[in-house]
Amino acid sequence: MQLSELQLDTLTELINIGVGRAAGVLNQMTQFPVKLQVPAITLLRPQQLAKESGLNDDDPFASVQLNFKGLFSGNAALVFPTNSAVKLVSILTGESPASDIDEITVGTLNEVGNIVLNGIMGSISNVLEQGLKYSLPSYSEQALIELYDIDHLKPESIILIGKTQFSVEEIHIEGEILLIFELGSFDALINAIDNILAANA
Amino acid sequence: MTEDKLKNVSHYFSMLDYIHGGVCLLQKDYTVLFWNECLEDWTGISKGDIIGQEIDQFYPHLKEPKYRERFSTVFEGGPPAVFSSQFHKYVFPCFLSRKRLRIQHTTVEGIRLDDDNEIYAFIACQDVTDLTERIHAYRTMRDQAVEEVKERERAQQALQEAMKELESFSYSISHDLRAPLRAIQGFSEILAKEYSTSLDEVGQHFLNNVVEAGTQMNQLIDDLLAYCRISDGQEQGYIIPLQQLFEKIHRQISNQLHEQQGILELPGITPDIYVNESLLMQIIMNLITNGLLYHRKNIPPIVKVSCEIKNDFLLLRVNDNGIGISKEYHEKIFEVFQRLHANEEIQGTGIGLANVKKATTLLGGVLSLESTVGEGSEFFIQLPIQNKNKIDIMKNYV
């Protein structure tokens, strides 16, 4: 999957508009101003995921996932190493970091993931001008290799990975946003991006 | 929405009156279309009062942007919204008791009804009060336990540092005492040898006392230095066959045996294992020396040493027919400078058994004692053996 630099920049910008909106929502809820940024994105095929994403270790990751269906289908996930997840919740809630992820933390992570992913999906569906059906967000803790079992992904699927930086004052936490688009849906997104570029040309 | 439509919606969702969780349906203008019985129970607001009314009239906080913006996204066909208990606690504030509010985890999902394209907000509210309180109780307990462990670790570290400092101090003091002591011993020996004729009987008695005190102090310094060397790990030296160790012990103890007119029985057949020479030497030599020293009046001392291998452990027994040790002192005697007898009765430094205990601990072993006053004592030492091959050879041997 080859995108021009302009297409890639526009897609990154689109995602940043989404996470920016998500940061706005988070700031209404927390006492600390949160900045959210996705400086760069990478596009991969499923078979490249383990090798090139650097996410092939066995460490457990905390992830919030959202499935979407319609003319445009796939799965969006916000993924964190477990330690970062605990740290993020502690920063956002102002509570001391827990040594493990309990049900209260799971609920909070679910909401944070929900806000971030909703921001991105809102941004994408706006340019697509298409309504989608969404699942309820779900939380899980497992190694990424189990989370994204490439045997169950269509080889033609496109996986979009964006390194997500959360920062509150001087504290920075990085996570990953993973968006998996099933066959065909990514073309629709690129067409929509091309339309934006043509309109602004 | 017409009254008929409201009735239809009420009928459509009626099954949700039976679930244990709050369910509410909102129209885009925030009018309540459905309010289940659970929410009636929780809030005390009846269906009749709230259905057809705007939710903000009952819960004005839902007008705040942190709720409004996310509800709007749902009404526009966006993904569901999650309101977690930690950020929001109560979407529909309601009391469980006078002071206790019901903690909730809420999801808001956009749904379409059969006959129109409008999106409605389906609010599902889960009571997580018990769960939350239990987790908070667990967190408090866990934090306390972690703090206690940290406190214990800090205390242990402080104790270890203090011990190290004390041992290092003892070592340097013992070392520094050697030089003046050597001078005292040397000059008193010269006095005894060359000037004893110039001294009367009382003077000679005093001089003998000086020589004896010097010898005693020398022994004390030797024992103290050995104790310090064991403590700081300097004594973890050579590994030799156990048989060789017993041969060495036999050679070193022969003079004392002769002096005390004692009998020493060492094991005839020794397990074919390798042992730490200096540490095991400290253990066995000190126990034998004590057995020979603390004998009953007019009864020649007999000390027996035996050893065997059992379940990967070297079991060592040293027993004597001496004066025995009263049960109340069984722990105290392993502390440094603890003596049960005056120096006039039996000479000793009060460090030997402390050395035995320290060396046993360093070897990862355990030490116990059985004793009867007037009959004798048996020291039992259990030491782990790491060298598996040697153990196998030894098992065939024994």
Side-chain angles (χ1 to χ4, degrees):
Chain A
M1 168 59 52
Q2 285 293 324
L3 291 189
S4 70
E5 203 175 316
L6 202 55
Q7 285 173 319
L8 205 60
D9 283 351
T10 312
L11 187 54
T12 310
E13 184 58 27
L14 196 63
I15 288 174
N16 272 305
I17 291 170
V19 294
R21 194 181 303 159
V25 176
L26 279 173
N27 284 335
Q28 289 165 0
M29 291 163 22
T30 63
Q31 44 183 318
F32 311 102
V34 184
K35 275 187 196 163
L36 257 171
Q37 221 184 351
V38 181
I41 58 168
T42 318
L43 298 172
L44 298 172
R45 294 285 185 196
Q47 54 273 29
Q48 296 172 295
L49 181 66
K51 200 174 163 191
E52 292 184 32
S53 65
L55 305 173
N56 55 345
D57 57 37
D58 293 331
D59 292 340
F61 278 75
S63 73
V64 179
Q65 297 188 65
L66 182 75
N67 294 321
F68 45 90
K69 272 184 192 167
L71 290 169
F72 182 66
S73 308
N75 168 284
L78 182 64
V79 178
F80 283 101
T82 320
N83 286 344
S84 300
V86 170
K87 204 170 163 190
L88 176 68
V89 169
S90 133
I91 290 168
L92 294 177
T93 58
E95 291 187 358
S96 56
S99 54
D100 47 16
I101 297 184
D102 55 33
E103 277 304 307
I104 296 179
T105 313
V106 166
T108 313
L109 276 173
N110 220 339
E111 179 164 4
V112 174
N114 172 246
I115 290 169
V116 174
L117 296 175
N118 286 11
I120 295 168
M121 290 316 296
S123 194
I124 288 176
S125 61
N126 271 353
V127 295
L128 284 168
E129 295 172 346
Q130 278 181 4
L132 299 170
K133 273 189 173 178
Y134 298 96
S135 70
L136 276 170
S138 65
Y139 174 87
S140 72
E141 259 170 69
Q142 51 193 323
L144 275 185
I145 215 81
E146 291 166 24
L147 197 63
Y148 292 106
D149 183 356
I150 56 165
D151 294 340
H152 291 97
L153 289 174
K154 290 177 184 162
E156 306 85 355
S157 303
I158 289 287
I159 300 165
L160 183 155
I161 299 180
K163 275 209 184 302
T164 320
Q165 296 174 343
F166 280 82
S167 55
V168 179
E169 288 177 359
E170 295 306 309
I171 307 157
H172 293 267
I173 295 179
E174 280 197 352
E176 305 279 349
I177 289 173
L178 276 94
L179 290 171
I180 297 181
F181 298 96
E182 286 180 5
L183 178 67
S185 43
F186 195 69
D187 290 339
L189 181 59
I190 296 306
N191 286 340
I193 285 172
D194 286 342
N195 289 340
I196 297 171
L197 290 172
N200 292 308
Chain B
M1 183 171 271
T2 62
E3 210 153 293
D4 277 353
K5 195 165 182 184
L6 274 176
K7 266 185 188 169
N8 279 345
V9 168
S10 178
H11 180 70
Y12 194 73
F13 286 98
S14 60
M15 213 128 60
L16 298 176
D17 277 329
Y18 299 98
I19 65 162
H20 185 68
V23 176
C24 164
L25 188 73
L26 295 185
Q27 197 169 251
K28 205 170 183 172
D29 61 2
Y30 293 89
T31 303
V32 179
L33 301 184
F34 180 76
W35 188 255
N36 80 340
E37 281 185 12
C38 179
L39 277 179
E40 282 189 315
D41 285 347
W42 286 1
T43 60
I45 301 170
S46 71
K47 287 171 188 270
D49 285 342
I50 200 166
I51 289 177
Q53 306 296 318
E54 280 186 28
I55 192 90
D56 312 340
Q57 291 176 21
F58 295 83
Y59 299 106
H61 68 280
L62 294 180
K63 275 186 184 167
E64 289 171 23
K66 66 175 177 181
Y67 291 103
R68 209 58 155 200
E69 284 180 19
R70 296 176 70 194
F71 272 76
S72 300
T73 309
V74 172
F75 282 126
E76 284 157 16
V82 174
F83 296 90
S84 67
S85 63
Q86 200 168 17
F87 279 133
H88 307 274
K89 281 215 163 48
Y90 335 97
V91 170
F92 298 121
C94 43
F95 285 94
L96 270 166
S97 58
R98 189 182 278 184
K99 282 185 179 172
R100 201 161 150 238
L101 279 154
R102 197 183 291 274
I103 303 169
Q104 298 151 19
H105 180 88
T106 307
T107 54
V108 182
E109 207 173 345
I111 59 166
R112 284 185 168 83
L113 299 178
D114 285 343
D115 50 353
D116 61 30
N117 273 329
E118 198 177 335
I119 295 172
Y120 300 88
F122 182 86
I123 305 171
C125 226
Q126 196 187 343
D127 180 351
V128 291
T129 315
D130 275 353
L131 182 71
T132 307
E133 286 175 352
R134 261 184 239 169
I135 291 170
H136 280 303
Y138 162 74
R139 282 181 180 180
T140 309
M141 206 167 68
R142 182 200 57 202
D143 292 348
Q144 271 171 1
V146 168
E147 194 44 50
E148 275 169 26
V149 169
K150 277 186 190 162
E151 186 55 44
R152 209 173 304 147
E153 280 172 356
R154 279 196 289 268
Q156 208 169 343
Q157 200 177 343
L159 183 68
Q160 273 174 354
E161 278 166 17
M163 286 293 288
K164 218 171 172 184
E165 213 170 290
L166 186 66
E167 279 159 5
S168 145
F169 176 72
S170 309
Y171 185 83
S172 74
I173 286 287
S174 313
H175 211 263
D176 292 348
L177 283 175
R178 264 215 189 286
L181 177 64
R182 211 170 284 134
I184 292 168
Q185 278 188 302
F187 286 117
S188 55
E189 274 164 22
I190 294 169
L191 263 180
K193 204 174 166 187
E194 308 210 355
Y195 297 92
S196 61
T197 48
S198 315
L199 294 170
D200 61 9
E201 205 175 315
V202 178
Q204 281 190 13
H205 173 70
F206 289 161
L207 184 58
N208 282 341
N209 283 353
V210 173
V211 173
E212 266 177 33
T215 311
Q216 166 73 7
M217 193 165 175
N218 200 34
Q219 186 60 47
L220 188 68
I221 290 173
D222 277 350
D223 286 356
L224 252 181
L225 284 171
Y227 183 80
C228 296
R229 276 198 295 269
I230 294 172
S231 304
D232 64 16
Q234 287 180 38
E235 284 287 354
Q236 295 177 44
Y238 298 109
I239 302 293
I240 62 164
L242 184 58
Q243 176 70 39
Q244 208 174 312
L245 184 86
F246 281 126
E247 287 164 9
K248 217 169 174 179
I249 288 170
H250 191 260
R251 281 197 299 276
Q252 285 192 15
I253 207 80
S254 57
N255 274 349
Q256 198 185 345
L257 263 180
H258 183 72
E259 275 171 27
Q260 307 274 356
Q261 295 184 322
I263 298 167
L264 173 64
E265 290 179 18
L266 291 175
I269 299 170
T270 317
D272 185 16
I273 57 162
Y274 281 71
V275 292
N276 182 307
E277 181 191 356
S278 42
L279 291 177
L280 208 61
M281 186 70 125
Q282 281 288 347
I283 296 171
I284 301 174
M285 276 298 274
N286 272 303
L287 293 177
I288 295 175
T289 310
N290 279 359
L292 294 174
L293 207 59
Y294 295 91
H295 63 86
R296 280 176 279 161
K297 210 173 180 181
N298 302 324
I299 297 179
I302 303 171
V303 180
K304 292 178 189 168
V305 181
S306 65
C307 59
E308 62 171 320
I309 299 288
K310 209 172 185 181
N311 300 331
D312 297 354
F313 282 92
L314 170 65
L315 309 182
L316 194 70
R317 283 186 175 81
V318 180
N319 67 53
D320 61 57
N321 63 338
I323 53 175
I325 302 155
S326 174
K327 189 133 187 126
E328 61 191 288
Y329 300 117
H330 280 201
E331 294 214 349
K332 204 178 172 188
I333 52 165
F334 294 107
E335 292 170 18
V336 191
F337 298 129
Q338 290 299 331
R339 297 206 61 212
L340 306 182
H341 305 274
N343 226 24
E344 292 75 34
E345 294 173 49
I346 302 168
Q347 283 205 340
T349 60
I351 304 174
L353 286 178
N355 281 348
V356 171
K357 183 161 189 199
K358 200 134 208 182
T360 306
T361 309
L362 267 180
L363 289 170
V366 284
L367 170 68
S368 60
L369 162 67
E370 275 181 30
S371 185
T372 311
V373 175
E375 286 183 20
S377 308
E378 179 174 84
F379 290 86
F380 176 63
I381 290 139
Q382 190 176 343
L383 300 169
I385 304 168
Q386 265 101 42
N387 192 332
K388 281 273 179 196
N389 293 333
K390 291 290 174 190
I391 292 161
D392 291 337
I393 296 167
M394 180 275 318
K395 273 179 183 163
N396 296 331
Y397 195 72
V398 177

